[in-house]
Amino acid sequence: MPEDARDYYSELYQKTMKKNIPFVGQWELNTNCNLNCYHCYLGRQRQCYGLPLVKIKSILDELADLGTLYLSFTGGEILLRKDFFEIAGYSRKKNFAIRLLTNATLIDEDAADKINALNPLSVDVSLYALNPVIHDRITGMIGSQELVIRAIKLLRKREIKVVVKTLFMKENLAEFNPIKYFCQDNGVEFQFDFTMTPADDGSIDVSRLGLEKSQIEDVFSENNILVSRRQDASLDALLCAAGINSFFISSSGNLYPCIFLKKNMGSLLRERFQEIWNSSNFNNFRAIDAQDFYNCRQCGLVGYCNHCMGLSLLEHGNLLGASSLDCRLALVFKNVYEKRRSKYGEEKEELSETSSHL
Amino acid sequence: MLWKGKIPFKSPEVAWRTVDGESIIVLTKESRVIVLNEVGTYIWELIDGRRSFQEIVTAVTEEFEVSALRATEESAAFLEEIAAKGIIFLKDKD
Ligand code: SF4
């Protein structure tokens, strides 16, 4: 008979990993966008209007049957799709827990009401600066910052969870504190990143736009941001959930292990999700062993590293290398962590030598 | 009994999926998650805003081969518990 409702989430999550249940998905509904951000990982490929509604609905039906619970909708700009609320409404009808990733410029009172009716987990909004000149220069649209701020306020007025996501680059680094305080004042979660993802077409000059190592370290020290060292510093800890219990669907209907891992596993226009998910493409990918990460085997930064096979693929054309972006950030984390430890007088841990290609 | 003659329905604020025989329920506004056991999952899946409490009890009695009294008591206890968490609500049978 019924027992108490239990909080066995992590156990169940592990089960989805073990059984390769596609539990978490991200879906790029379109790539067309009303902004022209100069760091956009889509590069110049921003003209895809996405799959037709009927196809999307049939994929949603299949995903619900296969056990997908979490689904993030991203673009391009998702609200440019005329049928966006039909897609999102249908996914709620099928009981998915949804997140919306948007540049927020198209959210007015009416859209905010419709979003509220969807009960999303969150609306994740890109905000690059509180100074409108800087934000607008990054997005390439004058007035875009004002629209984003308006949207955030409209969403918060309805008590919708908002997550501000900011990629910090040379151009907007000075905006860290203004954005942080804005988020605090408005009950908004603040997530930030320093890793610029190179575009497939090579159209982003990462080294020109991205931050220096010392600049990233300063952000952490000045803001007293804690960096933790993973307890499990074995190579296995570098493996992520991509393709194991999570997936990415591109605007043209291709299935990938992750948004950053552009290894096309098959087309949902030609095959059903389950066929691709259980195909040798995916199974071979899942068979990758962390010991295969040839650059990482002797590395002392494993405990600080958010290793990404996708970045390695972009940089080296293979999944098993180490992306210089990951290595750089891992070194930053190590420095920040150790500085903090020595400041507070804790014993310094011995680390083996760092990888030679850093 | 509170539940007699009532129809339970799911809150529009939840998202959920049954994975490997267990329902996982997400309270979207609170980002909180609850996992139900096999019997809880069975009852949860019967809640569709049309079936009455009595119909759910009948189904539980048959599925788990327990007495009507036990099915009634335990179903009511379970529904009360998840109603207290704001996951389901009650409406009158029309
Ligand atoms: S720092 Fe570089 S070499 Fe070391 S584990 Fe991370 S990706 Fe691999």
Side-chain angles (χ1 to χ4, degrees):
Chain A
M1 291 308 294
E3 290 165 14
D4 289 352
R6 302 167 303 171
D7 189 12
Y8 283 174
Y9 180 68
S10 61
E11 213 177 273
L12 196 125
Y13 184 84
Q14 287 309 323
K15 205 189 268 182
T16 64
M17 295 277 281
K18 230 178 259 159
K19 296 195 167 188
N20 298 136
I21 294 167
F23 193 52
V24 183
Q26 189 166 16
W27 195 329
E28 179 186 74
L29 292 178
N30 56 335
T31 59
N32 56 314
C33 187
N34 56 332
L35 301 184
N36 191 20
C37 299
Y38 61 51
H39 60 282
C40 179
Y41 74 94
L42 290 168
R44 299 181 198 91
Q45 311 157 6
R46 285 191 294 230
Q47 280 116 22
C48 182
Y49 296 91
L51 301 177
L53 179 63
V54 28
K55 183 70 195 168
I56 288 178
K57 283 186 173 177
S58 81
I59 296 171
L60 285 169
D61 290 342
E62 192 187 356
L63 292 176
D65 290 343
L66 293 176
T68 307
L69 174 57
Y70 295 101
L71 209 44
S72 300
F73 291 121
T74 187
E77 172 45 46
I78 51 176
L79 291 166
L80 281 175
R81 277 195 74 127
K82 299 255 177 303
D83 53 8
F84 170 73
F85 285 106
E86 210 170 325
I87 295 167
Y90 188 75
S91 56
R92 287 295 293 122
K93 201 172 131 200
K94 301 295 285 186
N95 302 310
F96 292 97
I98 62 171
R99 267 178 230 287
L100 313 181
L101 280 63
T102 170
N103 66 36
T105 54
L106 302 171
I107 299 177
D108 55 13
E109 292 272 0
D110 181 49
D113 282 340
K114 287 182 179 150
I115 290 172
N116 197 22
L118 293 169
N119 291 300
L121 287 175
S122 66
V123 179
D124 297 10
V125 172
S126 310
L127 174 66
Y128 300 104
L130 271 208
N131 178 338
V133 177
I134 298 175
H135 179 96
D136 295 353
R137 199 157 50 219
I138 292 173
T139 63
M141 177 183 161
I142 293 171
S144 60
Q145 193 264 8
E146 205 183 319
L147 295 172
V148 175
I149 300 293
R150 178 190 70 164
I152 291 172
K153 295 196 166 157
L154 289 172
L155 295 167
R156 289 303 298 140
K157 204 168 96 188
R158 289 159 178 80
E159 294 182 11
I160 298 166
K161 179 175 175 183
V162 174
V163 178
V164 154
K165 289 194 159 155
T166 310
L167 173 68
F168 284 102
M169 304 167 274
K170 289 195 178 90
E171 171 103 39
N172 63 341
L173 182 59
E175 291 291 309
F176 190 93
N177 279 327
I179 296 179
K180 183 173 90 179
Y181 294 130
F182 169 82
C183 289
Q184 280 170 6
D185 291 347
N186 288 279
V188 167
E189 189 176 320
F190 177 33
Q191 290 179 4
F192 50 90
D193 199 354
F194 303 105
T195 305
M196 269 175 124
T197 313
D200 297 345
D201 62 7
S203 63
I204 303 176
D205 187 347
V206 174
S207 57
R208 188 174 60 84
L209 302 170
L211 296 174
E212 305 297 334
K213 234 170 29 202
S214 59
Q215 291 177 301
I216 304 175
E217 279 181 38
D218 289 347
V219 175
F220 279 90
S221 332
E222 284 160 17
N223 292 283
N224 225 359
I225 301 167
L226 287 181
V227 168
S228 58
R229 201 177 107 102
R230 247 196 319 270
Q231 291 288 323
D232 177 10
S234 71
L235 275 182
D236 281 347
L238 297 181
L239 290 167
C240 67
I244 308 297
N245 74 347
S246 74
F247 61 88
F248 171 71
I249 298 174
S250 76
S251 57
S252 49
N254 291 329
L255 185 56
Y256 298 86
C258 167
I259 188 167
F260 295 119
L261 214 157
K262 290 300 169 61
K263 190 170 165 53
N264 187 356
M265 299 296 194
S267 168
L268 292 164
L269 293 175
R270 286 190 287 278
E271 288 171 281
R272 290 177 65 77
F273 185 100
Q274 192 169 20
E275 284 162 4
I276 307 174
W277 186 251
N278 294 332
S279 67
S280 55
N281 276 353
F282 259 113
N283 287 330
N284 292 340
F285 173 76
R286 288 181 195 123
I288 290 177
D289 189 305
Q291 296 298 330
D292 300 334
F293 297 151
Y294 51 85
N295 285 128
C296 309
R297 275 184 221 132
Q298 303 299 323
C299 178
L301 296 176
V302 173
Y304 303 96
C305 184
N306 295 315
H307 176 273
C308 173
M309 285 190 268
L311 286 179
S312 167
L313 186 65
L314 272 173
E315 206 174 311
H316 309 297
N318 79 65
L319 294 164
L320 305 177
S323 148
S324 60
L325 296 169
D326 281 339
C327 298
R328 200 176 71 132
L329 207 56
L331 190 57
V332 168
F333 288 161
K334 174 183 176 255
N335 290 344
V336 173
Y337 178 81
E338 294 204 332
K339 248 186 235 161
R340 216 185 141 80
R341 279 172 69 95
S342 55
K343 190 168 158 193
Y344 291 102
E346 290 176 31
E347 230 173 71
K348 216 164 163 259
E349 268 177 53
E350 280 303 316
L351 283 163
S352 58
E353 276 307 295
T354 56
S355 188
S356 57
H357 66 281
L358 288 173
Chain B
M1 163 164 305
L2 171 72
W3 295 90
K4 228 168 188 164
K6 304 275 185 189
I7 297 178
F9 64 98
K10 292 178 174 117
S11 160
E13 291 181 8
V14 302
W16 63 278
R17 192 70 68 223
T18 300
V19 174
D20 213 27
E22 293 178 306
S23 285
I24 169 162
I25 302 167
V26 184
L27 289 83
T28 56
K29 292 272 183 223
E30 302 166 43
S31 302
R32 212 153 58 83
V33 163
I34 290 164
V35 182
L36 303 180
N37 67 5
E38 187 202 343
V39 188
T41 295
Y42 181 75
I43 296 177
W44 174 256
E45 291 192 335
L46 290 175
I47 299 172
D48 61 359
R50 287 189 296 271
R51 278 192 190 87
S52 68
F53 171 70
Q54 218 39 62
E55 287 167 315
I56 291 172
V57 168
T58 307
V60 170
T61 310
E62 283 165 15
E63 178 72 16
F64 297 96
E65 295 175 359
V66 290
S67 70
L69 179 66
R70 189 165 165 211
T72 304
E73 279 173 4
E74 298 205 15
S75 299
F78 172 74
L79 291 173
E80 259 155 45
E81 189 179 334
I82 60 171
K85 293 183 198 293
I87 298 171
I88 59 161
F89 299 104
L90 279 185
K91 62 180 180 186
D92 285 319
K93 229 167 149 181
D94 18 61

